[in-house]
């Protein structure tokens, strides 16, 4: 278990992501701490002079013992100087992945973690019995604060469905009245007006209702991701999806920009609600970033209550079948090369430079339940040689996203720009190795439902306090019935969970107040990237550990609860680290053959 925590700490430090402070301190106290961990923490970072970029050499296919090199400006090229930016090579990642896979199927480790999780559940029930009334009394003593006026952060919303159905319906009706003669799309070489589009569907503004929109995800979408995706089409028409909720269309995303601004206005009016909205970059062409940035800047989709994540759908097989991409390397270059270019020379993509100041990370999205025909190992084709029509596996996507993001983060830190985190959809369905990849490479994840079947991973996610944005209403329509959702169980055991709305357009009829309040803010850096907003939200000591970090006048969280969570985590960390300091672990290894090797056990 300690070995697994060291692995996660290494990858978080290397990519400039956050490792939970309390857990990191416990690991640091161990004399067996791997020396290479320290090497990543104090990497020499010197500012790089800006200049006109003449060459950019960013390899998506790293070789063992060889760093990715980025040529940064004319002067440095003249001096034949390269930036040596660190990243984990493929061999190291596969070895660590094998260690993790061997760990989660080890019998004694599974028994130990299961018992510890059961203990945490029982301990929390005892805590509630003993302290529930004290916690309620502490909350009642605080003037003004309650659930409605504490800061809430919804860390998982897809921008194309960030509005509810009634909101979209009102917007479509008003657009039909305001812009009936505006050309909104091209058909057969001629422009179609808004009125003509709806006349072809035999619809008027009066005919439209929430029921005719038919965008609510019902039981028919259960385990049918294809049917769920079709729910993004108003009235079942992809034409209306293209017109109203796309950034790249004939009208340059005008209507989508307007409705996003209305959602932002609602958040600002509520004052205490904040959100992270996800926009898509597909990797089909090099100009996607510029088009997205132009849309964001021209429509001024900015709010103090909103930050952006960029989601990358895992659809290489679709693009390859349509001959839009020749290999996976090309997809990676389309995604990351513009980011390196704008980091080196912001004037090369001025709108993108502005947009990236409000982007906090990357997401990886798609149906996790789709079968994977390939196992990621050292024999896997490199991105340049991945020319098959088959989609690369989840761990393949995540590794190459992580590697390129890591190099980009180090370059951006040298340039004085904000860095990014990896927060993928993970563990909603599919094989368990998705959660292993997420644990190693991601600061936070979304969903994490399959942790309920993997006691070792669930215990590790608890010890490392990996943030999990959970969406029970979304899961209820897609993969797991509401009454079976593990959110209450995760919460009782102390995992770092927060509520999220995912797709209000598909799952909600009314406005909702999502977000995990205090816990969510501490883990996600939503609006705390550039200004010290968290100090205002949570108090000046919010970065400290234990009850001293809590200001109940701002969080409405009782000190008793914060103290319980902190003490319980410290006890669990002490339990596993104390075993390292004694001879007990050695005897267990001799008796049960507990070992961590680069190959999976045969039994």
């Amino acid at each position: 278990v300690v070995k697994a925590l060291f692995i996660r700490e290494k990858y978080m430090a290397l990519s400039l992501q956050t490792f939970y402070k309390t857990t990191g301190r416990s690991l640091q106290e161990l004399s067996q701490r791997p020396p290479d961990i320290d090497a990543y923490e104090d990497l020499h970072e010197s500012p790089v002079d800006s200049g006109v970029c003449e060459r950019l050499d960013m390899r998506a296919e790293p070789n063992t013992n060889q760093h990715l090199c980025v040529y940064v400006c004319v002067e440095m090229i003249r001096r034949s100087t390269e930036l040596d930016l660190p990243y984990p090579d493929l061999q190291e990642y596969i070895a660590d992945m094998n260690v993790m896979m061997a760990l989660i199927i080890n019998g004694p480790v599974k028994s130990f973690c299961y018992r510890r999780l059961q203990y945490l559940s029982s301990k929390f029930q005892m805590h509630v019995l003993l302290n529930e009334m004290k916690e309620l009394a502490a909350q009642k003593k605080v003037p003004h604060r309650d659930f409605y006026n504490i800061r809430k952060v919804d860390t998982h919303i897809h921008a194309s469905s960030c509005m509810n159905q009634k909101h979209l319906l009102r917007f479509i009706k008003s657009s039909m009245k305001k812009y009936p003669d505006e050309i909104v799309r091209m058909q057969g070489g001629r422009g179609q007006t808004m009125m003509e589009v709806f006349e072809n569907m035999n619809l008027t503004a009066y005919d439209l209702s929430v029921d005719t929109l038919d965008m609510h995800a019902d039981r028919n979408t259960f385990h049918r991701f294809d049917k769920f995706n079709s729910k993004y089409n108003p009235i079942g028409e992809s034409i209306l999806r293209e017109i109203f909720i796309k950034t790249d269309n004939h009208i340059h995303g005008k209507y989508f920009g307007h409705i996003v601004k209305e959602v932002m206005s609602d958040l600002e009016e509520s004052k205490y609600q904040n959100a992270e909205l996800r926009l898509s970059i597909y990797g089909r062409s090099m100009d996607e970033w510029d088009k997205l940035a132009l849309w964001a800047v021209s429509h001024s989709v900015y709010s103090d209550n909103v930050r952006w994540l960029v989601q990358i759908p895992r659809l290489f097989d679709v693009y390859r079948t349509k001959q839009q991409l020749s290999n996976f390397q090309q997809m990676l270059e389309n995604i990351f090369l513009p980011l390196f270019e704008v980091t080196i020379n912001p004037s090369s993509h001025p709108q993108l430079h502005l947009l990236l100041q409000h982007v906090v990370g990357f997401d990886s999205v798609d149906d996790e339940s789709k079968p994977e025909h390939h196992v990621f190992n050292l024999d896997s084709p490199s991105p340049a040689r991945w020319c098959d029509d088959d989609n690369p596996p989840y761990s393949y996507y995540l590794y190459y996203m992580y590697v390129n993001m890591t190099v980009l983060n180090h370059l951006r830190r040298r340039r004085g720009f904000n860095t990014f985190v990896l927060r993928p959809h993970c563990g909603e369905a599919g094989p368990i190795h998705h959660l292993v990849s997420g644990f190693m490479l991601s600061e936070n994840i979304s969903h994490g439902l399959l942790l309920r079947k993997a006691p070792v991973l669930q215990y590790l996610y608890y010890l490392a306090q990996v943030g999990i944005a959970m969406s029970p209403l979304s899961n209820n329509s897609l993969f797991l019935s509401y009454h079976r959702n593990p959110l209450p169980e995760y919460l009782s055991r102390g995992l770092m969970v927060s509520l999220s709305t995912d797709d209000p357009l598909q799952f909600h009829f009314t406005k909702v107040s999502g977000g995990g309040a205090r816990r969510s803010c501490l883990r996600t850096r939503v609006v705390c990237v550039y200004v010290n907003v968290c100090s205002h939200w949570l108090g000046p000591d919010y970065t400290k550990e234990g009850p001293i970090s809590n200001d109940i006048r701002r969080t409405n969280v009782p000190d008793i609860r914060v103290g319980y969570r902190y003490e319980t985590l410290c006890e669990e960390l002490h339990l596993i680290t104390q075993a390292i300091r004694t001879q007990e672990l050695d005897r267990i290894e001799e008796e049960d053959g507990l070992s961590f090797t680069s190959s999976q056990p045969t039994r």
Side-chain angles (χ1 to χ4, degrees), residues 200-342:
N200 291 341
M201 299 176 187
N202 295 319
L203 286 172
T204 65
Y206 182 79
D207 296 325
L208 292 177
S209 68
V210 166
D211 293 328
T212 55
L213 277 185
D214 190 28
M215 303 187 76
H216 192 76
D218 50 28
R219 299 304 296 176
N220 292 323
T221 62
F222 199 70
H223 285 283
R224 287 295 302 274
F225 211 82
D226 55 335
K227 285 191 174 184
F228 170 72
N229 282 336
S230 68
K231 290 293 183 179
Y232 279 89
N233 299 325
I235 324 175
E237 296 285 348
S238 59
I239 296 172
L240 297 184
R241 178 180 183 177
E242 175 191 336
I243 293 172
F244 287 102
I245 54 178
K246 286 285 188 180
T247 61
D248 184 17
N249 52 28
H250 182 71
I251 51 177
H252 308 292
K254 171 184 173 180
Y255 297 142
F256 186 44
H258 284 181
I259 197 169
V260 167
K261 290 187 73 172
E262 289 182 6
V263 171
M264 289 177 167
S265 179
D266 289 342
L267 290 172
E268 292 165 1
E269 184 180 350
S270 69
K271 184 179 178 180
Y272 297 103
Q273 295 185 65
N274 304 270
E276 262 180 3
L277 304 182
R278 283 158 166 76
L279 294 169
S280 294
I281 289 291
Y282 299 93
R284 290 173 296 192
S285 63
M286 196 75 73
D287 61 354
E288 288 180 17
W289 278 107
D290 287 328
K291 289 180 177 179
L292 181 64
L294 181 61
W295 169 82
V297 173
S298 61
H299 296 290
S300 299
V301 285
Y302 166 79
S303 171
D304 285 332
N305 294 61
V306 170
R307 285 294 179 267
W308 299 99
L309 249 84
V310 172
Q311 62 182 25
I312 300 170
R314 298 186 298 276
L315 298 175
F316 170 78
D317 55 337
V318 176
Y319 310 145
R320 181 75 183 91
T321 303
K322 294 180 179 180
Q323 303 299 316
Q324 294 175 325
L325 294 173
S326 56
N327 53 55
F328 193 75
Q329 169 84 19
Q330 189 177 349
M331 183 176 180
L332 288 173
E333 289 176 352
N334 291 339
I335 294 169
F336 286 100
L337 271 176
L339 300 182
F340 278 92
E341 290 173 356
V342 72

